[in-house]
Amino acid sequence: MPIRVKDDEAAEVRALDLFTGLEDDDFAALMRGAYVQTFPPRIELASQGERSDFLHVVTGGAVEMFASWNGRETVMATLEPVSTFILAATICDAPYLMSARTLEKSRIVLVPSEDVRKIFDINADFARAVVTELGRSYRAVVKSTKNLKLRTSLERLANHLLQRYAMEGNPTAFELGQEKRHLASYLGMTPENLSRAIRQLEPYGVTFEGNIVTITNPEDLTNFAKPSPLIDDPWS
Amino acid sequence: MPIRVKDDEAAEVRALDLFTGLEDDDFAALMRGAYVQTFPPRIELASQGERSDFLHVVTGGAVEMFASWNGRETVMATLEPVSTFILAATICDAPYLMSARTLEKSRIVLVPSEDVRKIFDINADFARAVVTELGRSYRAVVKSTKNLKLRTSLERLANHLLQRYAMEGNPTAFELGQEKRHLASYLGMTPENLSRAIRQLEPYGVTFEGNIVTITNPEDLTNFAKPSPLIDDPWS
DNA sequence: CCGCACGCTTGATAAATATCAAGTCAACAC
DNA sequence: GTGTTGACTTGATATTTATCAAGCGTGCGG
């Protein structure tokens, strides 16, 4: 049963860069057609190859984007609230290249693709916001390709940990925030090799206790990881 | 010495999806500020980390996009006439994530980024075209990431050859069209391994004679490569 | 014509990464 | 408490990929 989007949740969605520039009534028009749904863990929200009916916004929980071919599967990204996905497929009216599944119980706002395209056509500000968002996504994937082609898996892990470390505000210890096997797939390695890679980072002051990561020597780790804004900076 | 863009070359540029929807005077405004330049081979046209001053259009020759980190380098894409590059950086007004160099003597039309952003702001049709182009680019990189993470280098080579084969209209023999070491880097492998991979494809009816590729048994090769539109189709 | 440079190939070896097979441990259902 | 499940780890091994070191062949400058 479709449930209309309540005002407080709509406000969260509205806070996204994609929607802040929108006139009140245009945004209201989008939300009128939209609805919210809560999904249990491990539900596939979209499958690669399908056509786009809705722009999705995660407002609670966590969603994993993944892709598969010939019986193999790989994690492409992990999304946390509040973020959108399948914007490109929605705008281009093309089949999904990735699938999406909930990792935990999640709330998703579903905005009809047709409405998005309609507002996009009549509202120049929204069009600009879409371009900015698409540009950001494009650049994110280019960075990820560079990461894959230019670095070994150990270097990718080291840089990923530094990225998480910075995102948490440089605490000595922080939560990994996802299962290791998902991280492994995201980094393009097997769970077994992630285990071994973690060991290999010990000399650089990295310790794992369950899902708690401790970084005792950020300088050493940085020295090894050699992070670059042109690969690792999530902004710009 | 800047050289204004002549009408016949402007017509080529105009034929790009990005510009076809543009009003005559808007397009003329873009071309007024633009200029053409011919570059010798191996000239670096843009370097990663720099800021974008021009949208580039290749109208002759060939250009290679590449990226580097920590002394390593990898080919990200090869562009042939007529195509644009660094659209995302231009629109987002952000630093280049990739560098570009000419592979051979090449003609490049340089359109000031500021002009592009100006037209983008006042012309909804152009904004839409930019979105389409960005969406296409985004999807192309996502496919490339899937290719890298889900396939072995041998599978990547097989699929690449099938793609080229299809692009040439399924001829028994066709030109590779680039140096093998560049192809190797593009496919994420070393030149040595490309040599060996070519040998490994012989049982599937693939033969190389210099830069001429012969495919005697497309079915067998397809059977091995298992191409998927969600990775290999350059359109959609 | 010679010699050199350079791209390509080949073989031997090394490093990176994946696979397979146990084994440990914690969470959870009963 | 007991048993089961599933994630994680570890070691042994195999596969994939890279590196190193020649050698081959073509094209080009002198």
Side-chain angles (χ1 to χ4, degrees):
Chain A
M1 188 79 268
I3 295 174
R4 287 271 308 284
V5 184
K6 297 222 181 71
D7 286 351
D8 52 341
E9 196 153 21
E12 281 185 57
V13 175
R14 170 120 221 203
L16 286 170
D17 284 349
L18 191 57
F19 298 115
T20 39
L22 223 46
E23 313 287 324
D24 278 342
D25 47 349
D26 282 346
F27 183 73
L30 272 184
M31 285 303 113
R32 245 193 308 283
Y35 62 96
V36 204
Q37 211 171 337
T38 303
F39 295 92
R42 285 163 217 218
I43 293 296
E44 197 159 321
L45 303 171
S47 304
Q48 63 175 36
E50 280 177 358
R51 302 218 133 239
S52 161
D53 292 321
F54 298 97
L55 174 66
H56 293 56
V57 185
V58 193
T59 59
V63 170
E64 180 176 85
M65 307 298 300
F66 66 100
S68 37
W69 174 80
N70 194 30
R72 298 168 211 165
E73 190 180 302
T74 190
V75 173
M76 302 287 284
T78 306
L79 302 180
E80 299 198 338
V82 181
S83 47
T84 61
F85 59 96
I86 31 190
L87 177 62
T90 294
I91 293 292
C92 296
D93 199 6
Y96 301 141
L97 295 177
M98 301 183 266
S99 306
R101 75 160 75 90
T102 55
L103 289 171
E104 36 186 279
K105 190 179 164 201
S106 301
R107 274 180 87 71
I108 310 288
V109 177
L110 296 138
V111 187
S113 298
E114 214 180 308
D115 295 354
V116 176
R117 284 193 287 268
K118 205 178 294 167
I119 305 282
F120 173 81
D121 280 344
I122 59 171
N123 187 317
D125 289 331
F126 182 58
R128 202 173 358 263
V130 167
V131 166
T132 306
E133 181 70 19
L134 264 185
R136 208 201 308 276
S137 308
Y138 169 73
R139 292 169 63 85
V141 195
V142 169
K143 286 173 196 164
S144 151
T145 304
K146 290 171 65 175
N147 198 27
L148 281 167
K149 291 186 79 177
L150 292 167
R151 288 176 173 158
T152 66
S153 59
L154 191 59
E155 289 164 341
R156 291 197 293 273
L157 172 62
N159 278 292
H160 179 78
L161 291 179
L162 282 174
Q163 226 175 295
R164 294 278 300 112
Y165 177 71
M167 274 166 60
E168 300 288 334
N170 303 351
T172 313
F174 59 91
E175 267 220 58
L176 191 54
Q178 62 184 329
E179 290 186 12
K180 286 183 188 161
R181 68 210 173 95
H182 291 290
L183 175 60
S185 176
Y186 172 70
L187 292 174
M189 58 204 292
T190 57
E192 291 97 326
N193 273 332
L194 175 58
S195 259
R196 288 186 264 259
I198 286 170
R199 282 300 188 76
Q200 285 182 271
L201 288 183
E202 264 177 26
Y204 302 100
V206 178
T207 345
F208 276 67
E209 273 179 57
N211 264 18
I212 308 291
V213 188
T214 310
I215 295 186
T216 55
N217 197 334
E219 289 80 31
D220 259 20
L221 185 59
T222 304
N223 228 28
F224 169 74
K226 297 186 176 57
S228 153
L230 299 179
I231 302 183
D232 304 289
D233 195 346
W235 321 113
S236 118
Chain B
M1 187 80 270
I3 295 175
R4 287 270 310 287
V5 185
K6 297 224 182 67
D7 285 352
D8 52 342
E9 197 153 20
E12 281 184 57
V13 176
R14 169 118 222 205
L16 287 170
D17 285 349
L18 191 57
F19 299 114
T20 37
L22 222 46
E23 314 288 321
D24 279 340
D25 45 351
D26 282 345
F27 183 74
L30 272 183
M31 285 303 114
R32 247 192 308 282
Y35 62 97
V36 204
Q37 212 170 337
T38 304
F39 294 92
R42 284 161 219 220
I43 293 295
E44 199 159 320
L45 303 172
S47 305
Q48 63 176 35
E50 280 177 358
R51 300 216 133 241
S52 159
D53 292 320
F54 298 96
L55 173 67
H56 297 230
V57 185
V58 193
T59 57
V63 170
E64 180 177 84
M65 306 298 299
F66 65 100
S68 38
W69 175 79
N70 195 28
R72 299 167 211 165
E73 191 180 302
T74 190
V75 173
M76 301 287 284
T78 307
L79 303 179
E80 300 197 339
V82 181
S83 46
T84 61
F85 59 96
I86 30 188
L87 178 61
T90 295
I91 293 292
C92 297
D93 198 7
Y96 302 140
L97 295 177
M98 300 183 266
S99 306
R101 75 161 74 92
T102 55
L103 288 170
E104 38 186 276
K105 190 179 163 200
S106 300
R107 274 179 87 73
I108 312 288
V109 177
L110 297 138
V111 188
S113 298
E114 214 181 308
D115 293 355
V116 176
R117 284 193 286 267
K118 204 178 295 166
I119 305 282
F120 173 82
D121 281 343
I122 60 170
N123 187 317
D125 288 332
F126 182 57
R128 202 174 357 265
V130 168
V131 166
T132 306
E133 181 70 19
L134 263 185
R136 209 202 306 277
S137 308
Y138 169 73
R139 292 169 64 84
V141 196
V142 169
K143 285 173 196 162
S144 150
T145 304
K146 291 172 65 175
N147 198 27
L148 281 168
K149 291 187 79 176
L150 293 167
R151 288 176 173 158
T152 66
S153 60
L154 191 59
E155 289 165 342
R156 291 197 293 274
L157 173 62
N159 278 292
H160 179 78
L161 291 179
L162 281 174
Q163 226 175 294
R164 294 276 301 114
Y165 176 71
M167 274 167 59
E168 301 287 334
N170 304 350
T172 312
F174 59 91
E175 268 219 58
L176 191 53
Q178 62 185 328
E179 290 186 13
K180 285 182 188 163
R181 67 209 173 97
H182 292 290
L183 175 60
S185 177
Y186 172 69
L187 292 175
M189 58 206 292
T190 56
E192 291 98 324
N193 274 330
L194 175 57
S195 260
R196 289 187 263 258
I198 286 170
R199 280 301 187 74
Q200 284 182 273
L201 288 183
E202 264 177 27
Y204 301 100
V206 177
T207 345
F208 276 68
E209 273 178 58
N211 265 18
I212 307 291
V213 187
T214 311
I215 295 186
T216 54
N217 197 333
E219 290 80 32
D220 259 19
L221 186 58
T222 303
N223 229 28
F224 168 74
K226 297 186 176 57
S228 154
L230 299 179
I231 302 182
D232 305 289
D233 194 345
W235 321 112
S236 118

